[in-house]
Amino acid sequence: MDQRFDASERFAEGAQFIDGRLRGGTSGRTQAVVDPATGEQIHTYALAGTGDVDAAVDAARRAFPAWSGATPGERSDTLHRFAAALAEDSADLAFAESLNCGKPLKLSEEFDVPGSVDNAAFFAGAARHLEGKAAAEYSADHTSAVRREAVGVVGSIAPWNYPLQMAAWKVLPALAAGNTIVLKPAEITPLTSLMFAQAATRAGLPDGALNIVSGAGRDAGEHLVGHPDVAMTSFTGSTAVGKRVAEVATATVKRLHLELGGKAPFVVFDDADLEAAVHGAVAGALINSGQDCTAATRAYVQRPLYDAFVAGVADLMATVRLGDPFDRSTDLGPLISHAQRDRVAGFVDRARAYATVVTGGEAPQGALANGAYYRPTLITDAPQDSEIVQSEIFGPVLVVLPFDSDDEGIALANDTPYGLAASAWSRDVYRTGRATREIKAGCVWVNDHIPIISEMPHGGAKASGYGKDMSAYSFDEYTQVKHVMYDITGTARKDWHRTVFGDRT
C-alpha cells in the first residue's frame, strides 16, 4: 500500500463486517474517521445500530456449533493460515494503522503489525495445547477428568490506542478456544479491525465466527454487552467505562474480562545504570505518544540519582523528533485527536499551579499546527496526591519524584488505585527481587519498561481490572472448565447413600 490508499474506496460497502461480508450500519448516524496528523477526514461511514449488533450476534451464534465442534487441530490450521494472511497484509496494515492513529510508520511496522502476526502464530499453536489436571482416580470409586469447552459468543470492546493489536488480543484466544466473537472497535479507529476480519475470512475462518460492529459505545457497545445471547464480555479501556461495562454485564450474569487503566511507576534505585534508566524512561513514557496503559508515567528516583536523572530525561526528550508519521525520521506522532490533545494539555496546565514543567508542556506550531501534536513533557515538584501523579493522562507526559529509602520508593509506587504495570531499575538482584514481589501490578519489568511477548500474560490488578490477554493463561478467560466424573465400581448401592437413606450394609 502507498499513500494513494483510499479508505472510502476500500470500505465503500460499509464499516460493519457481519457474517463474512462488509455492510453499512443502520443507526442513521455517521462517523468521520480523521487523520490526527493533519486533521483531515479520510473516511465517513454509517455507525452500527442495535439491529446491526443483533445481526452480528445472531451470525456468531449460528457459527458457534461448527467452530466449537472443530478439532483443536482444525482450528489451529485455520489460525496458521490467518497468521500467514496477516503477514501478507503487513504493509497495508501498517500504513492504515498509522493513517488512522497518527503512529509513526516505524512503530506500526516494527511493533503493532509484527506483534499481531506473532500473536496469531502463537494462538495457532496454543489451540492444540489446552491444559487441565490429569485424568485420575482422585476418589477411589471414580475417574475424574477435566474438559475445557468454549464459552459461547464473546462480545469484545477494544480501544483506539492500538486498534490492530487489541483486535488480535481479543479475537485470537477466543477463536483458538472455539468461541465465536463480535468485536466492537473504537468508532474513530475501525480500519485495521475490518482489515483483520477480512484477512481471517480469506484464511478460511467460517462466516460468522468473527464479526465487527463499528458503532458508538453508548449504543452498539452497551447493547453488545447486555445482549442475552452473548456469554462473555471482554473490554479494554478506561476504568470509568469499565465500571459501566461491569454494571451492564451483571444483568445477564456474563463472564467478564476487564483490562483497564494504568499509572505505571518507574522506580530507579540509587545503584541503577543511570543511562539505561534515562533511555528507558523516555522510551517508556513516549511510546505511542504516551497513549499506552502501561506507559511509564510516574518515575520515582532515589535521591542520589534524582538531579542527574531529571537532567538526562530533559536532554533526551529535547532530541525527540515530532513530525509526519510517514517520514521515517519521525519519532513521535500526534495524539489520537485534538480532543485528546486538549485533555492532556489541560492536565499539564493545571499542574503549573503546583509543579514545575521542566520541558515541553505545549503544542507545536508551524507545519504541525493542524495536527493533534503535543511536545514530550517532563514535570517535577508535584505532590504525591496531586492529579498529575494520580490520574491517567494518556499522553507524552512523565512526572518525576524523589524518594529516600527503598521502603519509601516501593510504597510510593503502590500509592495509586491502579496496578497494571511497573518497572524497577537496579544492579542489585535482591532489590529488584523485592520490588517484583512487593509492587502490586500485573507486570513488573526489571531494567526495562514496555516489552511484551505473546507467550506471557498481560493484565492488571486493583482498578486496572482482572483477567489476562495473550499467553496460554488467556484460555482461563475464554474456556469453561468442566469436571467430568465416572463411577468405576458398577455398584448400584453406594456406601454414601446411607447418609440419605438406610444403614451401612
Side-chain angles (χ1 to χ4, degrees):
M1 179 182 289
D2 60 27
Q3 295 201 29
R4 292 172 296 179
F5 170 68
D6 187 339
S8 295
E9 180 180 342
R10 179 104 181 212
F11 302 111
E13 296 173 76
Q16 318 304 324
F17 190 84
I18 299 172
D19 210 9
R21 67 179 183 87
L22 291 171
R23 53 185 268 184
T26 61
S27 69
R29 294 180 293 114
T30 59
Q31 172 69 46
V33 180
V34 176
D35 175 359
T38 63
E40 295 176 358
Q41 186 172 303
I42 57 177
H43 185 41
T44 301
Y45 69 92
L47 285 161
T50 56
D52 302 307
V53 174
D54 291 339
V57 171
D58 182 62
R61 182 182 56 78
R62 287 185 282 105
F64 178 75
W67 181 248
S68 63
T71 66
E74 289 168 338
R75 291 198 295 270
S76 176
D77 288 346
T78 301
L79 292 177
H80 275 299
R81 293 194 299 270
F82 188 13
L86 291 172
E88 291 171 2
D89 291 350
S90 289
D92 289 13
L93 288 165
F95 188 93
E97 195 79 336
S98 289
L99 182 66
N100 198 172
C101 302
K103 298 172 186 282
L105 189 60
K106 64 180 181 181
L107 179 65
S108 295
E109 289 181 334
E110 299 177 29
F111 185 76
D112 298 65
V113 174
S116 300
V117 173
D118 185 70
N119 249 231
F122 171 81
F123 281 107
R128 304 183 77 152
H129 296 280
L130 298 178
E131 294 184 355
K133 189 178 288 289
E137 289 68 51
Y138 299 97
S139 152
D141 296 337
H142 305 86
T143 296
S144 286
V146 169
R147 292 177 57 87
R148 281 190 179 269
E149 298 180 348
V151 175
V153 176
V154 178
S156 290
I157 300 176
W160 46 254
N161 57 333
Y162 291 103
L164 178 62
Q165 284 201 319
M166 294 301 99
W169 288 15
K170 298 297 182 195
V171 168
L172 292 166
L175 290 177
N179 301 283
T180 55
I181 189 165
V182 178
L183 172 71
K184 193 200 87 64
E187 62 269 31
I188 61 174
T189 55
L191 302 185
T192 50
S193 296
L194 294 166
M195 296 166 70
F196 185 81
Q198 289 175 316
T201 297
R202 196 169 76 246
L205 186 72
D207 291 349
L210 169 57
N211 307 274
I212 308 293
V213 288
S214 304
R218 291 191 177 274
D219 302 322
E222 290 207 7
H223 192 65
L224 178 62
V225 173
H227 200 291
D229 290 334
V230 170
M232 174 183 170
T233 292
S234 175
F235 171 81
T236 296
S238 71
T239 297
V241 177
K243 291 177 181 178
R244 176 59 184 163
V245 168
E247 290 173 0
V248 176
T250 297
T252 48
V253 198
K254 286 177 170 44
R255 180 176 294 201
L256 191 57
H257 170 206
L258 298 174
E259 199 268 87
L260 306 177
K263 191 71 176 174
F266 185 102
V267 183
V268 182
F269 295 100
D270 58 13
D271 66 336
D273 181 326
L274 179 62
E275 182 182 14
V278 166
H279 282 79
V282 173
L286 301 185
I287 186 170
N288 203 35
S289 297
Q291 299 167 127
D292 187 308
C293 51
T294 62
T297 58
R298 300 177 292 138
Y300 296 102
V301 184
Q302 207 151 24
R303 208 169 292 275
L305 293 185
Y306 177 79
D307 290 339
F309 180 88
V310 170
V313 168
D315 288 345
L316 189 55
M317 279 187 171
T319 70
V320 172
R321 299 163 296 187
L322 280 68
D324 177 358
F326 297 100
D327 182 339
R328 294 186 184 277
S329 68
T330 292
D331 297 320
L332 196 70
L335 284 94
I336 191 64
S337 66
H338 288 81
Q340 179 65 14
R341 191 269 312 274
D342 293 345
R343 179 180 180 275
V344 171
F347 274 102
V348 175
D349 290 344
R350 290 190 295 275
R352 297 179 195 277
Y354 56 79
T356 302
V357 178
V358 177
T359 188
E362 62 183 5
Q365 299 303 308
L368 302 181
N370 291 333
Y373 290 89
Y374 198 75
R375 293 195 186 284
T377 299
L378 176 63
I379 293 177
T380 60
D381 304 321
Q384 173 66 15
D385 62 356
S386 61
E387 176 191 54
I388 203 79
V389 175
Q390 293 293 328
S391 298
E392 187 173 34
I393 300 169
F394 232 55
V397 179
L398 176 65
V399 184
V400 185
L401 299 90
F403 69 91
D404 292 303
S405 68
D406 289 16
D407 288 350
E408 182 189 13
I410 291 173
L412 289 170
N414 285 330
D415 183 25
T416 175
Y418 300 105
L420 185 58
S423 62
W425 297 73
S426 171
R427 292 182 171 94
D428 186 329
V429 66
Y430 298 104
R431 270 180 150 172
T432 58
R434 179 190 177 190
T436 62
R437 292 191 303 273
E438 296 185 12
I439 293 176
K440 305 305 180 187
C443 173
V444 181
W445 292 285
V446 176
N447 294 325
D448 208 344
H449 195 106
I450 285 295
I452 54 175
I453 49 176
S454 296
E455 292 83 356
M456 287 291 140
H458 175 87
K462 303 194 303 186
S464 293
Y466 45 82
K468 299 300 180 184
D469 289 310
M470 301 197 296
S471 81
Y473 290 98
S474 62
F475 283 111
D476 292 338
E477 314 301 325
Y478 293 101
T479 55
Q480 179 67 47
V481 175
K482 178 187 285 185
H483 172 213
V484 180
M485 197 173 197
Y486 300 88
D487 171 66
I488 59 174
T489 67
T491 303
R493 186 171 179 182
K494 308 293 194 295
D495 185 57
W496 71 267
H497 291 177
R498 70 186 176 81
T499 62
V500 182
F501 60 86
D503 301 315
R504 185 188 297 272
T505 57

